[in-house]
Amino acid sequence: MSALRLSRIFTSTALATTAALGFAVFSSLAVADKAQAAGEVIVGLVTKTEVNPYFVKLRQAAEAEAKKKGLKLIARFGKFDGDNEGQVAAIEDLISAGAKGILVTPNNSTGMLGIIKKARDSGILVIALDTATDPADAVDATYATDNFEAGVKQGTYAKKAMGDKKPVLAMLDGTPGGTVDTFRHNGYLQGFGIKEGDPVIAGSAITNGAQDKGQTGMENLLSKNGDINVVYTINEPAAAGGYAALKSFGKAKAVMLTSIDGSCQGVKDVKSGKVAATVMQFPYKMAVAGVDAVAEYAKTGKKPTGFINTGSELITDKPMAGLDSKDTAWGLKNCWGGE
């Protein structure tokens, strides 16, 4: 390909990206102008991605609560799991739009500290949802699952369910560097009773929490070690991909999968036997609490502080003695903590 043609492609791509970013800013400012003219308080929501079902639920809950409280929600998101730059640009957009509060699920726990400080210095209440920042006090407050505790629950269940069988463990991890990924991974190891580097661990794969990467990662791990009999997964999309790989290798019934999320589909996968257990978290509660905090701040100036654990529940139809759990009937009524 000629240098001239490459230059034209790069120029075209850059212009398209700039146009897209410009449209997003213009759209937010237009919404903001309309909201301010109507006397509405603006609350921003910045999630890791747009299409992940977990963040869709978070956004739906925030939209419903904002409407209930008379606030105007402006929702933005990263293009992919790990798109730190996209989230930084989104918060810049919301600062310009005059948001009173910003709720954010940071892709990178340290990569957004500068823009968060800028928002707070501007008098904006900043709350982390789902994922803590590092340091935690970079934001005013965090509403989230205790992900280490959730990982411990997953690992403890898997260890108990294995019984006397010698474990050969595969780990379908998320995105390196994220606090959620680190806490869940380390919590699982503690619950399973092993440490990093233990020979029980046959291998690991980075999935970014995506189903297609979960399937590819599991296929690669099975190709290297056909004795794998227990699998940790960072979330339910990765678990779905892992199950598809196990099925294609004829090992779906011989390998135990566990996960974390608690979506309605995830609970159905537990009920059908594809997944032995999942740990349900409650994004609906996180979003509602975050929007309510912004509404209170706008009204009285009062700010929430610290880490607020929104809880988790182990969901399985094969309970283990000495381990608290709920069955899938309960899970389907309460998936993700709201309608």
Side-chain angles (χ1 to χ4, degrees), residues 13-27 79:
T13 301
L15 288 172
T17 301
T18 301
L21 289 172
F23 177 76
V25 172
F26 175 79
S27 177
K79 293 180 181 178

Side-chain angles (χ1 to χ4, degrees), residues 49-293:
T49 66
E50 178 184 16
V51 297
N52 184 304
Y54 183 85
F55 298 116
V56 171
K57 171 58 74 173
L58 200 75
R59 185 171 67 249
Q60 290 172 342
E63 287 172 344
E65 188 67 8
K67 185 176 181 180
K68 180 180 176 183
K69 293 290 183 178
L71 277 59
K72 180 64 180 180
L73 184 83
I74 298 178
R76 292 289 177 263
F77 34 80
K79 293 180 181 178
F80 52 86
D81 196 323
D83 180 18
N84 188 68
E85 291 183 1
Q87 288 195 310
V88 169
I91 293 181
E92 283 277 14
D93 180 11
L94 291 167
I95 293 172
S96 299
K100 188 69 174 179
I102 297 174
L103 313 176
V104 58
T105 64
N107 265 308
N108 186 302
S109 298
T110 60
M112 303 187 69
L113 301 184
I115 191 64
I116 288 172
K117 183 179 187 301
K118 181 178 179 179
R120 293 180 73 188
D121 288 348
S122 301
I124 299 171
L125 176 68
V126 181
I127 295 175
L129 301 182
D130 177 70
T131 306
T133 53
D134 183 13
D137 62 2
V139 292
D140 290 291
T142 301
Y143 293 91
T145 306
D146 183 331
N147 282 290
F148 184 84
E149 178 185 73
V152 169
K153 289 179 181 180
Q154 186 188 173
T156 301
Y157 178 88
K159 179 64 174 178
K160 284 181 174 288
M162 288 297 291
D164 296 330
K165 188 183 297 184
K166 182 180 178 181
V168 182
L169 172 65
M171 304 195 76
L172 297 183
D173 288 309
T175 302
T179 52
V180 169
D181 308 274
T182 301
F183 287 159
R184 291 183 184 182
H185 178 102
N186 292 346
Y188 182 93
L189 294 181
Q190 179 169 308
F192 206 85
I194 58 177
K195 294 182 179 180
E196 198 70 64
D198 192 291
V200 161
I201 304 172
S204 63
I206 301 302
T207 71
N208 300 120
Q211 183 169 337
D212 58 343
K213 292 184 179 181
Q215 181 169 349
T216 300
M218 190 73 250
E219 288 170 349
N220 291 338
L221 290 169
L222 287 169
S223 295
K224 294 176 182 178
N225 192 328
D227 294 328
I228 290 168
N229 57 14
V230 56
V231 182
Y232 156 83
T233 64
I234 182 65
N235 65 5
E236 288 166 357
Y243 178 81
L246 290 169
K247 188 175 180 181
S248 70
F249 274 69
K251 292 182 174 291
K253 294 182 179 179
V255 180
M256 180 178 64
L257 274 169
T258 56
S259 197
I260 297 178
D261 259 354
S263 67
C264 293
Q265 182 57 53
V267 175
K268 289 175 183 177
D269 287 343
V270 173
K271 185 175 182 179
S272 69
K274 294 179 181 179
V275 176
T278 193
V279 181
M280 180 180 290
Q281 49 185 341
F282 302 102
Y284 192 93
K285 291 182 180 179
M286 297 174 201
V288 168
V291 170
D292 287 351

Side-chain angles (χ1 to χ4, degrees), residues 312-328:
S312 62
E313 289 282 356
L314 179 68
I315 308 295
T316 183
D317 285 332
K318 298 177 181 178
M320 296 291 127
L323 192 58
D324 290 338
S325 65
K326 303 286 188 182
D327 63 17
T328 57

